[in-house]
mmCIF file with all atom_site columns, all heavy atoms in Angstrom:
data_model
loop_
_atom_site.group_PDB
_atom_site.id
_atom_site.type_symbol
_atom_site.label_atom_id
_atom_site.label_alt_id
_atom_site.label_comp_id
_atom_site.label_asym_id
_atom_site.label_entity_id
_atom_site.label_seq_id
_atom_site.pdbx_PDB_ins_code
_atom_site.Cartn_x
_atom_site.Cartn_y
_atom_site.Cartn_z
_atom_site.occupancy
_atom_site.B_iso_or_equiv
_atom_site.pdbx_formal_charge
_atom_site.auth_seq_id
_atom_site.auth_comp_id
_atom_site.auth_asym_id
_atom_site.auth_atom_id
_atom_site.pdbx_PDB_model_num
ATOM 1   N N   . TYR A 1 59 ? 16.430 -15.708 -7.894 1.00 0.00 ? 59 TYR A N   1
ATOM 2   C CA  . TYR A 1 59 ? 17.156 -15.013 -6.774 1.00 0.00 ? 59 TYR A CA  1
ATOM 3   C C   . TYR A 1 59 ? 16.444 -13.859 -6.382 1.00 0.00 ? 59 TYR A C   1
ATOM 4   O O   . TYR A 1 59 ? 16.232 -13.573 -5.084 1.00 0.00 ? 59 TYR A O   1
ATOM 5   C CB  . TYR A 1 59 ? 18.570 -14.394 -7.415 1.00 0.00 ? 59 TYR A CB  1
ATOM 6   C CG  . TYR A 1 59 ? 19.335 -13.518 -6.454 1.00 0.00 ? 59 TYR A CG  1
ATOM 7   C CD1 . TYR A 1 59 ? 20.213 -14.131 -5.545 1.00 0.00 ? 59 TYR A CD1 1
ATOM 8   C CD2 . TYR A 1 59 ? 19.197 -12.215 -6.621 1.00 0.00 ? 59 TYR A CD2 1
ATOM 9   C CE1 . TYR A 1 59 ? 20.823 -13.366 -4.687 1.00 0.00 ? 59 TYR A CE1 1
ATOM 10  C CE2 . TYR A 1 59 ? 19.927 -11.427 -5.690 1.00 0.00 ? 59 TYR A CE2 1
ATOM 11  C CZ  . TYR A 1 59 ? 20.720 -11.931 -4.880 1.00 0.00 ? 59 TYR A CZ  1
ATOM 12  O OH  . TYR A 1 59 ? 21.388 -11.106 -3.915 1.00 0.00 ? 59 TYR A OH  1
ATOM 13  N N   . ASP A 1 60 ? 15.727 -12.999 -7.294 1.00 0.00 ? 60 ASP A N   1
ATOM 14  C CA  . ASP A 1 60 ? 14.899 -11.846 -6.865 1.00 0.00 ? 60 ASP A CA  1
ATOM 15  C C   . ASP A 1 60 ? 13.600 -12.133 -6.173 1.00 0.00 ? 60 ASP A C   1
ATOM 16  O O   . ASP A 1 60 ? 13.295 -11.594 -5.128 1.00 0.00 ? 60 ASP A O   1
ATOM 17  C CB  . ASP A 1 60 ? 14.642 -10.914 -8.085 1.00 0.00 ? 60 ASP A CB  1
ATOM 18  C CG  . ASP A 1 60 ? 15.969 -10.338 -8.725 1.00 0.00 ? 60 ASP A CG  1
ATOM 19  O OD1 . ASP A 1 60 ? 16.902 -10.006 -7.918 1.00 0.00 ? 60 ASP A OD1 1
ATOM 20  O OD2 . ASP A 1 60 ? 15.986 -10.269 -9.939 1.00 0.00 ? 60 ASP A OD2 1
ATOM 21  N N   . ALA A 1 61 ? 13.102 -13.188 -6.656 1.00 0.00 ? 61 ALA A N   1
ATOM 22  C CA  . ALA A 1 61 ? 11.779 -13.734 -5.985 1.00 0.00 ? 61 ALA A CA  1
ATOM 23  C C   . ALA A 1 61 ? 12.013 -14.167 -4.662 1.00 0.00 ? 61 ALA A C   1
ATOM 24  O O   . ALA A 1 61 ? 11.334 -13.921 -3.658 1.00 0.00 ? 61 ALA A O   1
ATOM 25  C CB  . ALA A 1 61 ? 11.104 -14.817 -6.860 1.00 0.00 ? 61 ALA A CB  1
ATOM 26  N N   . ALA A 1 62 ? 13.191 -14.845 -4.402 1.00 0.00 ? 62 ALA A N   1
ATOM 27  C CA  . ALA A 1 62 ? 13.485 -15.408 -3.082 1.00 0.00 ? 62 ALA A CA  1
ATOM 28  C C   . ALA A 1 62 ? 13.785 -14.289 -2.158 1.00 0.00 ? 62 ALA A C   1
ATOM 29  O O   . ALA A 1 62 ? 13.354 -14.239 -1.003 1.00 0.00 ? 62 ALA A O   1
ATOM 30  C CB  . ALA A 1 62 ? 14.691 -16.252 -3.184 1.00 0.00 ? 62 ALA A CB  1
ATOM 31  N N   . MET A 1 63 ? 14.407 -13.086 -2.747 1.00 0.00 ? 63 MET A N   1
ATOM 32  C CA  . MET A 1 63 ? 14.660 -11.950 -1.814 1.00 0.00 ? 63 MET A CA  1
ATOM 33  C C   . MET A 1 63 ? 13.362 -11.215 -1.548 1.00 0.00 ? 63 MET A C   1
ATOM 34  O O   . MET A 1 63 ? 13.159 -10.965 -0.323 1.00 0.00 ? 63 MET A O   1
ATOM 35  C CB  . MET A 1 63 ? 15.601 -10.999 -2.706 1.00 0.00 ? 63 MET A CB  1
ATOM 36  C CG  . MET A 1 63 ? 15.851 -9.621  -1.955 1.00 0.00 ? 63 MET A CG  1
ATOM 37  S SD  . MET A 1 63 ? 17.077 -8.564  -2.629 1.00 0.00 ? 63 MET A SD  1
ATOM 38  C CE  . MET A 1 63 ? 16.291 -8.247  -4.269 1.00 0.00 ? 63 MET A CE  1
ATOM 39  N N   . VAL A 1 64 ? 12.377 -11.060 -2.443 1.00 0.00 ? 64 VAL A N   1
ATOM 40  C CA  . VAL A 1 64 ? 11.168 -10.443 -2.137 1.00 0.00 ? 64 VAL A CA  1
ATOM 41  C C   . VAL A 1 64 ? 10.467 -11.283 -1.046 1.00 0.00 ? 64 VAL A C   1
ATOM 42  O O   . VAL A 1 64 ? 9.811  -10.677 -0.049 1.00 0.00 ? 64 VAL A O   1
ATOM 43  C CB  . VAL A 1 64 ? 10.231 -10.472 -3.406 1.00 0.00 ? 64 VAL A CB  1
ATOM 44  C CG1 . VAL A 1 64 ? 8.718  -10.149 -3.080 1.00 0.00 ? 64 VAL A CG1 1
ATOM 45  C CG2 . VAL A 1 64 ? 10.911 -9.348  -4.401 1.00 0.00 ? 64 VAL A CG2 1
ATOM 46  N N   . SER A 1 65 ? 10.458 -12.580 -1.230 1.00 0.00 ? 65 SER A N   1
ATOM 47  C CA  . SER A 1 65 ? 9.785  -13.356 -0.234 1.00 0.00 ? 65 SER A CA  1
ATOM 48  C C   . SER A 1 65 ? 10.475 -13.392 1.163  1.00 0.00 ? 65 SER A C   1
ATOM 49  O O   . SER A 1 65 ? 9.710  -13.330 2.207  1.00 0.00 ? 65 SER A O   1
ATOM 50  C CB  . SER A 1 65 ? 9.608  -14.749 -0.919 1.00 0.00 ? 65 SER A CB  1
ATOM 51  O OG  . SER A 1 65 ? 9.624  -15.745 -0.007 1.00 0.00 ? 65 SER A OG  1
ATOM 52  N N   . ARG A 1 66 ? 11.838 -13.354 1.144  1.00 0.00 ? 66 ARG A N   1
ATOM 53  C CA  . ARG A 1 66 ? 12.440 -13.153 2.480  1.00 0.00 ? 66 ARG A CA  1
ATOM 54  C C   . ARG A 1 66 ? 12.221 -11.925 3.244  1.00 0.00 ? 66 ARG A C   1
ATOM 55  O O   . ARG A 1 66 ? 11.860 -11.993 4.276  1.00 0.00 ? 66 ARG A O   1
ATOM 56  C CB  . ARG A 1 66 ? 13.995 -13.316 2.237  1.00 0.00 ? 66 ARG A CB  1
ATOM 57  C CG  . ARG A 1 66 ? 14.916 -13.184 3.364  1.00 0.00 ? 66 ARG A CG  1
ATOM 58  C CD  . ARG A 1 66 ? 16.339 -13.464 3.019  1.00 0.00 ? 66 ARG A CD  1
ATOM 59  N NE  . ARG A 1 66 ? 16.894 -12.599 2.061  1.00 0.00 ? 66 ARG A NE  1
ATOM 60  C CZ  . ARG A 1 66 ? 17.298 -13.016 0.770  1.00 0.00 ? 66 ARG A CZ  1
ATOM 61  N NH1 . ARG A 1 66 ? 17.282 -14.303 0.337  1.00 0.00 ? 66 ARG A NH1 1
ATOM 62  N NH2 . ARG A 1 66 ? 17.801 -12.209 -0.084 1.00 0.00 ? 66 ARG A NH2 1
ATOM 63  N N   . ILE A 1 67 ? 12.234 -10.876 2.408  1.00 0.00 ? 67 ILE A N   1
ATOM 64  C CA  . ILE A 1 67 ? 11.862 -9.504  3.002  1.00 0.00 ? 67 ILE A CA  1
ATOM 65  C C   . ILE A 1 67 ? 10.540 -9.587  3.590  1.00 0.00 ? 67 ILE A C   1
ATOM 66  O O   . ILE A 1 67 ? 10.150 -9.090  4.660  1.00 0.00 ? 67 ILE A O   1
ATOM 67  C CB  . ILE A 1 67 ? 12.098 -8.391  2.002  1.00 0.00 ? 67 ILE A CB  1
ATOM 68  C CG1 . ILE A 1 67 ? 13.509 -8.318  1.535  1.00 0.00 ? 67 ILE A CG1 1
ATOM 69  C CG2 . ILE A 1 67 ? 11.563 -6.983  2.557  1.00 0.00 ? 67 ILE A CG2 1
ATOM 70  C CD1 . ILE A 1 67 ? 13.685 -7.415  0.294  1.00 0.00 ? 67 ILE A CD1 1
ATOM 71  N N   . GLY A 1 68 ? 9.609  -9.994  2.700  1.00 0.00 ? 68 GLY A N   1
ATOM 72  C CA  . GLY A 1 68 ? 8.162  -9.897  3.112  1.00 0.00 ? 68 GLY A CA  1
ATOM 73  C C   . GLY A 1 68 ? 7.875  -10.749 4.291  1.00 0.00 ? 68 GLY A C   1
ATOM 74  O O   . GLY A 1 68 ? 7.177  -10.304 5.271  1.00 0.00 ? 68 GLY A O   1
ATOM 75  N N   . SER A 1 69 ? 8.492  -11.998 4.470  1.00 0.00 ? 69 SER A N   1
ATOM 76  C CA  . SER A 1 69 ? 8.281  -12.860 5.576  1.00 0.00 ? 69 SER A CA  1
ATOM 77  C C   . SER A 1 69 ? 8.846  -12.108 6.912  1.00 0.00 ? 69 SER A C   1
ATOM 78  O O   . SER A 1 69 ? 8.215  -12.059 7.964  1.00 0.00 ? 69 SER A O   1
ATOM 79  C CB  . SER A 1 69 ? 9.092  -14.191 5.484  1.00 0.00 ? 69 SER A CB  1
ATOM 80  O OG  . SER A 1 69 ? 8.487  -14.724 4.299  1.00 0.00 ? 69 SER A OG  1
ATOM 81  N N   . ARG A 1 70 ? 10.153 -11.554 6.753  1.00 0.00 ? 70 ARG A N   1
ATOM 82  C CA  . ARG A 1 70 ? 10.561 -10.737 7.877  1.00 0.00 ? 70 ARG A CA  1
ATOM 83  C C   . ARG A 1 70 ? 9.741  -9.601  8.352  1.00 0.00 ? 70 ARG A C   1
ATOM 84  O O   . ARG A 1 70 ? 9.525  -9.336  9.530  1.00 0.00 ? 70 ARG A O   1
ATOM 85  C CB  . ARG A 1 70 ? 12.042 -10.300 7.451  1.00 0.00 ? 70 ARG A CB  1
ATOM 86  C CG  . ARG A 1 70 ? 13.148 -11.445 7.561  1.00 0.00 ? 70 ARG A CG  1
ATOM 87  C CD  . ARG A 1 70 ? 14.422 -10.961 7.100  1.00 0.00 ? 70 ARG A CD  1
ATOM 88  N NE  . ARG A 1 70 ? 15.046 -9.893  7.840  1.00 0.00 ? 70 ARG A NE  1
ATOM 89  C CZ  . ARG A 1 70 ? 16.372 -9.518  7.586  1.00 0.00 ? 70 ARG A CZ  1
ATOM 90  N NH1 . ARG A 1 70 ? 17.036 -10.081 6.612  1.00 0.00 ? 70 ARG A NH1 1
ATOM 91  N NH2 . ARG A 1 70 ? 16.837 -8.484  8.312  1.00 0.00 ? 70 ARG A NH2 1
ATOM 92  N N   . ILE A 1 71 ? 9.292  -8.831  7.359  1.00 0.00 ? 71 ILE A N   1
ATOM 93  C CA  . ILE A 1 71 ? 8.339  -7.723  7.754  1.00 0.00 ? 71 ILE A CA  1
ATOM 94  C C   . ILE A 1 71 ? 7.101  -8.238  8.411  1.00 0.00 ? 71 ILE A C   1
ATOM 95  O O   . ILE A 1 71 ? 6.626  -7.776  9.505  1.00 0.00 ? 71 ILE A O   1
ATOM 96  C CB  . ILE A 1 71 ? 8.097  -6.818  6.542  1.00 0.00 ? 71 ILE A CB  1
ATOM 97  C CG1 . ILE A 1 71 ? 9.363  -6.135  6.134  1.00 0.00 ? 71 ILE A CG1 1
ATOM 98  C CG2 . ILE A 1 71 ? 7.045  -5.819  7.027  1.00 0.00 ? 71 ILE A CG2 1
ATOM 99  C CD1 . ILE A 1 71 ? 9.190  -5.211  4.809  1.00 0.00 ? 71 ILE A CD1 1
ATOM 100 N N   . ALA A 1 72 ? 6.328  -9.218  7.715  1.00 0.00 ? 72 ALA A N   1
ATOM 101 C CA  . ALA A 1 72 ? 5.223  -9.899  8.281  1.00 0.00 ? 72 ALA A CA  1
ATOM 102 C C   . ALA A 1 72 ? 5.410  -10.247 9.745  1.00 0.00 ? 72 ALA A C   1
ATOM 103 O O   . ALA A 1 72 ? 4.515  -10.062 10.558 1.00 0.00 ? 72 ALA A O   1
ATOM 104 C CB  . ALA A 1 72 ? 4.609  -10.925 7.261  1.00 0.00 ? 72 ALA A CB  1
ATOM 105 N N   . ASN A 1 73 ? 6.463  -11.110 10.039 1.00 0.00 ? 73 ASN A N   1
ATOM 106 C CA  . ASN A 1 73 ? 6.652  -11.491 11.405 1.00 0.00 ? 73 ASN A CA  1
ATOM 107 C C   . ASN A 1 73 ? 6.825  -10.435 12.283 1.00 0.00 ? 73 ASN A C   1
ATOM 108 O O   . ASN A 1 73 ? 6.419  -10.512 13.453 1.00 0.00 ? 73 ASN A O   1
ATOM 109 C CB  . ASN A 1 73 ? 7.963  -12.428 11.381 1.00 0.00 ? 73 ASN A CB  1
ATOM 110 C CG  . ASN A 1 73 ? 7.699  -13.834 10.598 1.00 0.00 ? 73 ASN A CG  1
ATOM 111 O OD1 . ASN A 1 73 ? 6.441  -14.226 10.551 1.00 0.00 ? 73 ASN A OD1 1
ATOM 112 N ND2 . ASN A 1 73 ? 8.612  -14.526 10.178 1.00 0.00 ? 73 ASN A ND2 1
#
Side-chain angles (χ1 to χ4, degrees):
Y59 178 85
D60 293 324
M63 175 169 65
V64 165
S65 149
R66 175 171 64 242
I67 297 169
S69 305
R70 280 173 63 171
I71 294 179
N73 289 335

